[in-house]
Amino acid sequence: MVTEMTKYNFILLSGDVEDFLKKLQGVGVMDITRSTKPVDEKSEYLSSKAGTFRKALSLLKDVQPAEFAEKVYGDLASNVIETINERDAAEAQVTQLAKEWEERMPWGQFDVKNFKKLEEQGLKLHFYKVKASNFNPEWTEKYALSEISNDGTNTYFVVVSDDENYEFPLKEMPAPDSDASTIEKKIDALRYEIEKKERHLSELKCHEKDIQTELDRTISKLDLHLAHVSGTKAAEDYITVLEGFAPAEKEAELKAMLDKDEILYLDDKAKVDDNPPIKLRNNKFVSMFEMLTDMYGRPKYDEFDPTVFISIFFMLFFAFCMGDAGYGLVLIGASLALKKVLGNIAPLGITLGIATTVIGLLFHTFFSVDMLTLSWLPDVVKNCMLPAQIAGYDGTMVLALLVGIVHICLAMVVKTYQSTKVKGFANSLGTWGWTLLIVGGVIVGGLALMGVMDSAVTKWIIIIIGILSALGIFFLNDLHRNPLMNFGSGLWETYNTATGLLGDVLSYLRLYALGLAGAKLGEAFNAIGLQALGDGGAGWIAFVLIVVVGHTLNVAMCVLGAFVHPLRLNFLEFFKNSGYEGSGRKYNPLKN
């Protein structure tokens, strides 16, 4: 499956580019391309203006819109930034005053003016705080001490003195400049202002689309200006325009980083014309075969991902070409033994080995020994194996042709679906005609051969399929073209399809031929080994050497053929009949 991509355009001063790219590493943006333009007064102004819009939108992201809002006029973006700055400043003051309130609370209510009156009379107040456990009651006898409060942990008290040489065994605290009630009034006033700012922000939130429109318009102006700006350097720096793509699933993570750093960017859903990179998203089984898809080419952004089909049919064709349960066990053992060497290829080798073992048992072959000839093998097991003959022909050959027909029919169904998805049903009637004719004909023919439908019903269904297919192939293959041109095009396509389709089906005989060649070569090694064995004795050494070396060479040759030819059947026969192009470019994100 092709992952949905988001396209991003970034506009930065060139001096900021390297730091920005470092921040992108590991986030998922890829295929960064850059172009450098000189900074002039206009580009600097537009860039700054767009940055203001972007910052305002970022700040409004978590604001709830007002249910009933009056129209706000003027510079909306600057209004947002200014309001939030004022709100944040007020909130910071509230936090600071809250700390001061906690410090003033133990001293109770008082008027600072009275402190000055006492000083005018020659009396001075000294403020102290001490742990309650350390408070000495004797102080009350020696000094004019008045305890203000005791919270269980600390004791707060004041000493009045008119002695210029006054001393006390504790460090004196600064006199409070106001009481707690005065600070409470300041906090209440600030909270009222904060509520007003919040209400105003809720009203501004209703204009979010207007700010976004202004941002898009400003960036468009900036893009247009940068596209035509001259090469003369007008300032000490350059503007760098970056384009990148990231998976849509990474959007929240990426935007959080961009908004935090106040990066100027424009994002939109990637389109086919943007030529976005292709990231495949498949399950664990299918993803093992993505390396085969990459050997041909990744799909375009609007194409289907062929990996799921390759995973099924390449595995099946590989097993056909090997065709030996013993060879399958060898593949499994070799993949497990060389797991560290093979790396990511080891799981694929194990999977292909399992498939080969299953198909080998179906083909009743174990190290080139026909298991149907083994007298000790139960009939119940033999009945689960493929018959040696089907309708008078070799069973393996018939099965290879049937699998090939299914493979091509599936390719045509995929092509029809893809054409309808991209071009629409009306512009895909020619493709529908061929699919109905061939796939429908194969299905009807198969049901008729199995006796599900009688000859009369089969006849009428084939006539109907033929008429509908002919309309699509010869007359409706291009609704915007002259009917005579359509007919001529239909004739030419009929010639190419008729001559090519038979060759495509016969290509699948290579599955039977390669499996047969491997089996016969293995039989030859077995026969030579038995001849060397003779009556036993020293012949056992020759037998083991011939069989082990012979089958090792045979496995190596079979693996080579079983890799190349199934790949060819997928890349040529399937891709041709499914219309797959594979011209996409691989997703390659920046990484640490």
Side-chain angles (χ1 to χ4, degrees):
M1 182 183 298
V2 177
T3 301
E4 183 181 353
M5 287 285 174
T6 302
K7 178 184 177 183
Y8 295 88
N9 285 299
F10 310 99
I11 302 174
L12 309 101
L13 289 176
S14 295
D16 301 331
V17 173
E18 296 307 320
D19 289 339
F20 173 67
L21 291 178
K22 288 180 181 179
K23 292 177 182 178
L24 286 182
Q25 289 179 340
V27 180
V29 171
M30 58 77 57
D31 273 11
I32 294 295
T33 57
R34 68 177 75 185
S35 58
T36 305
K37 302 289 182 180
V39 178
D40 57 11
E41 290 183 2
K42 185 173 182 179
S43 63
E44 188 174 13
Y45 166 74
L46 291 174
S47 179
S48 175
K49 187 177 179 181
T52 302
F53 290 133
R54 173 63 66 189
K55 182 177 181 179
L57 290 172
S58 176
L59 294 173
L60 284 175
K61 185 166 54 177
D62 298 326
V63 176
Q64 295 297 322
E67 294 184 5
F68 304 99
E70 296 182 0
K71 179 72 174 178
V72 180
Y73 298 95
D75 189 342
L76 295 172
S78 298
N79 198 336
V80 170
I81 296 172
E82 182 180 350
T83 302
I84 285 187
N85 287 339
E86 291 174 351
R87 182 203 64 184
D88 292 346
E91 288 178 344
Q93 284 185 326
V94 168
T95 302
Q96 180 61 36
L97 288 172
K99 293 179 180 178
E100 294 181 12
W101 179 84
E102 291 181 358
E103 295 174 356
R104 302 292 188 274
M105 270 295 294
W107 300 109
Q109 294 185 0
F110 55 84
D111 189 347
V112 177
K113 295 178 180 179
N114 293 331
F115 296 170
K116 294 181 179 180
K117 290 180 180 179
L118 288 173
E119 289 179 1
E120 290 174 358
Q121 297 176 13
L123 299 175
K124 186 176 180 181
L125 297 178
H126 304 275
F127 295 82
Y128 298 96
K129 179 179 78 170
V130 67
K131 286 187 177 181
S133 59
N134 295 333
F135 183 80
N136 190 347
E138 294 180 358
W139 292 340
T140 59
E141 298 176 2
K142 296 181 179 180
Y143 303 95
L145 184 150
S146 176
E147 183 176 327
I148 305 300
S149 65
N150 187 330
D151 58 9
T153 302
N154 298 306
T155 299
Y156 299 82
F157 60 92
V158 175
V159 176
V160 182
S161 174
D162 57 358
D163 188 356
E164 294 181 359
N165 299 319
Y166 165 82
E167 291 183 359
F168 196 82
L170 294 179
K171 184 179 179 180
E172 185 176 348
M173 293 181 61
D177 56 1
S178 62
D179 63 354
S181 62
T182 303
I183 295 177
E184 284 180 358
K185 292 177 182 178
K186 292 181 180 179
I187 291 176
D188 290 340
L190 285 170
R191 285 176 175 165
Y192 176 73
E193 288 298 321
I194 291 171
E195 289 178 2
K196 285 176 60 178
K197 302 300 181 186
E198 293 285 359
R199 286 195 297 271
H200 186 52
L201 285 174
S202 296
E203 293 176 345
L204 289 169
K205 175 73 172 182
C206 300
H207 296 273
E208 194 172 25
K209 291 183 178 179
D210 297 331
I211 299 175
Q212 182 65 55
T213 300
E214 287 299 319
L215 171 62
D216 295 343
R217 186 178 298 142
T218 303
I219 290 182
S220 296
K221 290 180 180 178
L222 181 58
D223 285 341
L224 183 62
H225 176 70
L226 292 175
H228 295 87
V229 72
S230 65
T232 304
K233 191 171 182 179
E236 293 301 321
D237 211 338
Y238 283 84
I239 280 181
T240 298
V241 181
L242 303 178
E243 180 182 271
F245 295 88
E249 61 201 30
K250 292 276 189 178
E251 186 172 343
E253 178 185 354
L254 180 58
K255 285 188 174 181
M257 183 272 287
L258 296 173
D259 292 338
K260 179 181 178 182
D261 294 336
E262 299 181 6
I263 302 298
L264 180 58
Y265 70 93
L266 186 64
D267 62 291
D268 195 9
K269 286 186 177 181
K271 302 178 181 63
V272 179
D273 294 340
D274 297 326
N275 189 28
I278 304 302
K279 179 183 180 183
L280 302 179
R281 185 174 71 249
N282 294 301
N283 59 39
K284 190 173 182 180
F285 169 73
V286 176
S287 62
M288 291 189 297
F289 296 85
E290 287 181 1
M291 64 179 73
L292 303 181
T293 300
D294 289 337
M295 291 175 67
Y296 187 90
R298 293 209 167 186
K300 295 190 299 183
Y301 196 56
D302 61 344
E303 272 191 312
F304 67 96
D305 179 10
T307 312
V308 64
F309 303 107
I310 291 177
S311 66
I312 297 171
F313 286 99
F314 179 84
M315 180 180 65
L316 181 61
F317 296 163
F318 184 94
F320 260 74
C321 292
M322 296 293 290
D324 191 296
Y327 290 0
L329 295 176
V330 171
L331 276 178
I332 296 172
S335 298
L336 289 172
L338 300 174
K339 194 171 184 179
K340 291 185 178 180
V341 178
L342 296 175
N344 295 332
I345 301 177
L348 179 61
I350 294 171
T351 302
L352 296 176
I354 293 172
T356 299
T357 302
V358 173
I359 294 297
L361 292 174
L362 179 66
F363 289 174
H364 45 83
T365 304
F366 189 83
F367 286 108
S368 301
V369 175
D370 188 353
M371 290 187 288
L372 291 177
T373 62
L374 301 176
S375 58
W376 52 268
L377 198 65
D379 291 338
V380 176
V381 177
K382 292 180 179 180
N383 291 335
C384 297
M385 297 176 179
L386 187 71
Q389 298 285 319
I390 297 178
Y393 297 96
D394 186 282
T396 309
M397 181 184 72
V398 174
L399 187 60
L401 288 174
L402 289 176
V403 170
I405 291 171
V406 171
H407 198 216
I408 290 175
C409 287
L410 179 61
M412 299 190 73
V413 170
V414 171
K415 181 180 181 179
T416 304
Y417 167 79
Q418 185 68 16
S419 178
T420 304
K421 177 184 174 182
V422 176
K423 300 177 182 178
F425 177 75
N427 294 320
S428 305
L429 293 176
T431 305
W432 274 94
W434 280 112
T435 302
L436 179 62
L437 179 65
I438 296 172
V439 178
V442 168
I443 294 173
V444 172
L447 293 175
L449 289 173
M450 290 187 293
V452 177
M453 296 188 302
D454 59 35
S455 58
V457 175
T458 303
K459 176 183 176 181
W460 279 106
I461 292 177
I462 289 176
I463 291 173
I464 293 171
I465 288 176
I467 293 173
L468 294 176
S469 300
L471 288 174
I473 295 169
F474 294 105
F475 301 103
L476 303 175
N477 50 58
D478 190 340
L479 299 178
H480 308 287
R481 194 165 54 188
N482 186 295
L484 292 177
M485 291 289 292
N486 281 346
F487 186 76
S489 176
L491 287 175
W492 176 248
E493 192 171 353
T494 300
Y495 169 76
N496 290 329
T497 303
T499 55
L501 202 58
L502 180 60
D504 291 343
V505 173
L506 293 177
S507 290
Y508 290 86
L509 284 174
R510 70 185 67 241
L511 300 175
Y512 161 70
L514 287 169
L516 180 63
K520 292 302 181 183
L521 188 57
E523 287 178 6
F525 286 121
N526 289 341
I528 295 172
L530 288 173
Q531 287 180 359
L533 176 61
D535 295 330
W540 279 104
I541 299 175
F543 171 78
V544 171
L545 287 174
I546 292 171
V547 170
V548 171
V549 174
H551 280 290
T552 300
L553 293 173
N554 197 26
V555 168
M557 290 188 292
C558 286
V559 167
L560 180 61
F563 179 81
V564 173
H565 291 280
L567 210 58
R568 179 194 183 280
L569 291 174
N570 281 280
F571 286 179
L572 293 184
E573 274 67 29
F574 185 82
F575 284 177
K576 179 182 71 175
N577 288 287
S578 65
Y580 180 74
E581 294 183 19
S583 57
R585 56 193 180 95
K586 187 177 180 180
Y587 172 72
N588 186 26
L590 291 172
K591 295 180 180 179
N592 292 320

